[in-house]
Amino acid sequence: MLEKSNRHLRLKNVHGKNVCVVREVYRREDIPCLSKLCLGQCNEQCPEGSSLLPENVTHYVIPDPQTAREYLEIFENPHIQGIIFTQTAVQSIQHGGSRRLYNRLKAVVKDRRKGSVIFHNEFQTYAHCEREPGEKQAQWHVRATYKAAEWYFNHLAASIPVVMVTDEDQFVYDFGHKTRNLFVVKLRDYLDGFWSEIIPGITDLFTSLQEVSVHKTKDTDYVGYLPLEILSKGIKCGKYQQGFLQVNKSNASQEAFIRRTKVDLTEDSGSDILIPGMAARNRAIHGDLVVVEILPKSQWQSRSNTISNPASEEKGDGDKAVSDRADTMPTGKIVGILQRNWREYVACFSQDEETGRGDKKAGKLLVIPWDYRIPKIRISTRQVDALRDHRIIVRIDSWEPDSTYPNGHFVRSLGKIGDLEAEVAAILVENDLRVPPFSEAQLNELPQDTTQNPWKMSEEEVSSRRDLRDSHLIFSIDPKGCEDVDDTLSVKRLDNGNLELGVHIADVTHFVAPNSLTDIEAQSRSTTVYLADRRYDMLPGVLSANLCSLVSGVDRYAVSVIWELSPSYEVVDVWYGRTVIRSQYKLFYELAQAMHEGIIDAEIVRNIPELHDLWGEELEIRLQGLREAIDELMAVARGLKARRVKSGALELESVEVQVQLSETKSIENLNPKQHLEIHDTIAECMIFANHWVAKKIAEMFPNQALLRHHPLPKDEQFGNLRSCASSRGFNIETSSNKQLAESLDRCVDANDPVVNKLLRSLATQAMSNAAYFCTGCLPRDQFFHYGLALDAYTHFTSPIRRYADVIVHRQLLEAVKKDRTISLPTCTQLEDLSQHINKKHRSSQYAQRESQELFQCLYFRGRGTEDENCIVDAVIFQLRTNGLFVFVPRYGIKGPVYLKSKDGQVLYVTATDEAEWTSGDVTKHDTYCVVDSTLGQQKYCLLQHITVKLSLQDSWAHASSLRLELLSNKPHKKPLTDMEDVAKQQKASIIQEVSSEAVEKRLQLESYDLGENFLQLKHKYGQSEDSMYHLFTSFKQTALNCDT
Ligand SMILES: [Zn+2]
């Protein structure tokens, strides 16, 4: 039944004038409640995949329009679920608030983990509330909200308490206790009553938002910029350029660039645009999507060519193309903002009380963001004394045209500055990584596997799969102590003389249905995050460490790729599909390598628990069978690899350290990971599987397959590598991957093994990153993987720890099915998803690196200047007009060494080997630079060894870093017998030493603050730091070798 009425809206038109619009409203009885508790027919009308109010929360909450508008951030908290936003509230945000706020509200409703909905109360016959003549809007809003709350309460037959939140005292007084289990409360009381114990800091956030709302300014997001129409016209006709603002971390107040956004992926995006100074930046913040007007050529400037503090061009997302010329470049100013990309920022108050006071009159204080690229933010808080030595999270609310700093508010504290947990939390927040324990609702979707109630395979499921349990010898080879085995292998001779190779991967998608809560969570995380001392899983432990871990002796579901190969390793046939397997051996690398080398003795048998109950002839036969399989596998991999190398695959430098675990999971030892042929064997089989899966899905879904490509590097990016190589008389050929690989192989200095390693690492740095993409969005000739020399590649072999593999599994299984049942994501959806995954992968790599740097700094804290661990050999790999960039092989660290100070003094090393500051100048040439001083002239060449001193450059507001100071222009005199092993062991001992301290600290912390229950919970959800040493921690200088 429809009922018509008119709704009067007051809107602002484009010129800012108020206009009144009359809209016809049709009311219906069947506007759905969107609750899982509904006993009626509502849910028949729900669009598929949309959020529903959950059945397992303690109550539903309905904020009134004002509360929703001013405190939306509180309702964004992942803990608060079952929120009903009335249409009245949404419209109030849409028309009265800002675009950004409205988008955030939409994001809350879209996130199915939040179980929150928009209820179209004004269209609902029984829930709408007519505004009375002369009634104030605020009053009508409150009444309308109550009417909706009342409707819900009755519609759901009082089966769940409903809480309405408002700030109107009188209303709370009148209606607060009118109906049992239908509450009307003030937000402060609601938070105190329900959430303050569950969400630490939520009341602080409330207080801080309350202060913001008192000094509330209008939505000034886009004030002081050109109107949108003019901007879009300008962009269309080429007058303006659009792109993301990238602030130079080491020169944040002076230098920023616009990386132009590509209109289409194939088009060259053109060069960067320089935005010099804060005035030209016009209140844009790093990451914003902005519109730029390019200035006349006469006003173009050049980018700075010096190293400055923090000199970190080697890290972060700084520009990779290090142009070393002082040429001018397109220079512009910002005239408009298309999209604010503000996020939560880690910050702290100034250490210096006086300067930290800021604008006291207005009750406001300045905080310094951790990220150098973000300007100071003005916030108001009464808790400054309690928070003075804390890392806190702040958010920016506005940046008014006449203000030097943006305004923001305090969100929560991460803990005391310098405390390991606070510093790690800061790294996670800064990289936008959210890794809360898995929720109960997520865990409830997954099968249980307990001693009382062990998980079993279903017979029906088994009969639908190819059963390899009795027909194939399947085994896994991983690092020692590995718990989550996601890949296994098999190899056997066929009667026709051909060979059958099998790669069997955990069938994660059997357990994780598309759009389930577990799936949404995994997608949002996209990857397991490995930090230097801990790990955050992408999937709950019941899957990653149990049901999807292909350990030996148990039945497991798998997805297999099985090839029939000719004796010359040509693929004769390939089969893809779901299987049932039972791995017979869980081996580790060193063991498999030893067996291959013919060592079969008591020690080997002792390390294969699967053989412990056997002896005599049976043992002999089993050992022989296993050994033959390993030999065969290595031979196949050798053949496959030879073919790839022939077509130009690159071998790049990668240093890894492996953590060895004791029974109790504490670190027993950190072993430099010795490179064995068996590592290559396993990697090669995985690459082979990934390649063949890529071929299959790209063929079946030419426009919607998820692949991974590694683009051709740009030639100019090799400039520094070429200069370095030429300083030793080597020549680098970059015209193809094959030539690059071969020329790198030739760069060998028998007396200086660091040279080859360093050059390979520079080559890696010069490369673009490999990335996921959707096949419909890129021309076919750009699918290739440059580093691996393959025409198609994807990720299939690690669905436990990478979400891309989960998608690829679904696509592969769909591709081999006869009848299509599930609908795959569209091309656009898949492209968005691949961007998201790429972003999360990058973030987790940055976080990993930053956590390693944190540990390095903790290691050097408190070491005296005379400590022999602080004086090291370093190799020059880049020249600047005021210094050098060096590589320290012993610790694998790269950083700047200054030769010239800010006040123009230069460093001269005297005959007695002492570095002295004196007046002079530095001149930079192609492969060397010269210090001209009153004391004499000295030359520094690329790849020259020098001696530097390492010390901690402690920072209050930012991440601490290591300072490198020149001690001598000669190599450090230390026996260089086996440099690399020393380097690896040093790195290993850093983590070991620092983390044992940190673990102690943490244990104290937990026993004080968190209690035993928390420990148990963490353990149960597989996110305990106890499992942090799980697997191994690797220091990777390249992700290429490991792109399997
Ligand atoms: Zn209903």
Side-chain angles (χ1 to χ4, degrees), residues 5 8 19 51 98 227 241 378 447 563 582 631 701 729 752 857 883 953 984 1017 1040:
S5 80
H8 298 260
V19 287
S51 291
S98 75
Q241 304 288 328
R378 195 186 287 128
W563 302 265
R582 187 191 296 129
D631 288 351
F701 308 113
D752 193 353
C857 288
Q953 188 164 16
K984 286 168 184 167
L1017 273 182
L1040 274 176

Side-chain angles (χ1 to χ4, degrees), residues 624-645:
Q624 200 48 41
L626 179 58
R627 188 191 151 177
E628 276 167 17
I630 293 171
D631 288 351
E632 198 87 79
L633 194 66
M634 291 178 86
V636 178
R638 233 173 273 146
L640 297 176
K641 184 169 180 177
R643 210 158 45 201
R644 235 170 19 86
V645 168

Side-chain angles (χ1 to χ4, degrees), residues 32-35 38-43 151 155-156:
C33 66
L34 303 167
S35 167
C38 180
L39 298 169
Q41 271 91 53
C42 287
N43 296 341
W151 179 84
H155 178 80
L156 300 174

Side-chain angles (χ1 to χ4, degrees), residues 447-459 461-462 510-511 547 555-557:
Q448 306 294 315
D449 185 35
T450 56
T451 20
Q452 291 84 15
N453 187 15
W455 174 82
K456 277 198 219 69
M457 301 205 298
S458 96
E459 263 172 53
E461 183 63 38
V462 171
H510 171 76
F511 298 100
L547 301 181
D555 293 339
R556 289 286 180 252
Y557 296 139

Side-chain angles (χ1 to χ4, degrees), residues 3 5 7 25-34 62-65 84-92 117-130 140-152:
E3 176 197 332
S5 80
R7 179 175 150 82
V25 178
Y26 291 94
R27 297 223 168 80
R28 332 165 20 149
E29 291 175 3
D30 58 353
I31 294 294
C33 66
L34 303 167
I62 308 190
D64 78 355
I84 300 162
F85 292 103
T86 59
Q87 179 185 10
T88 318
V90 175
Q91 279 166 353
S92 138
V117 301
I118 293 174
F119 172 52
H120 291 272
N121 58 318
E122 294 182 24
F123 297 155
Q124 216 317 326
T125 316
Y126 304 113
H128 86 277
C129 171
E130 208 73 55
W140 169 60
H141 277 171
V142 176
R143 281 203 309 119
T145 312
Y146 187 73
K147 186 88 190 258
E150 216 174 15
W151 179 84
Y152 259 96

Side-chain angles (χ1 to χ4, degrees), residues 526-556:
S526 285
T527 171
T528 290
V529 178
Y530 296 88
L531 300 187
D533 67 334
R534 68 191 71 186
R535 170 192 94 183
Y536 296 98
D537 288 331
M538 182 182 85
L539 290 169
V542 65
L543 295 184
S544 57
N546 186 1
L547 301 181
C548 292
S549 186
L550 307 176
V551 290
S552 61
V554 292
D555 293 339
R556 289 286 180 252

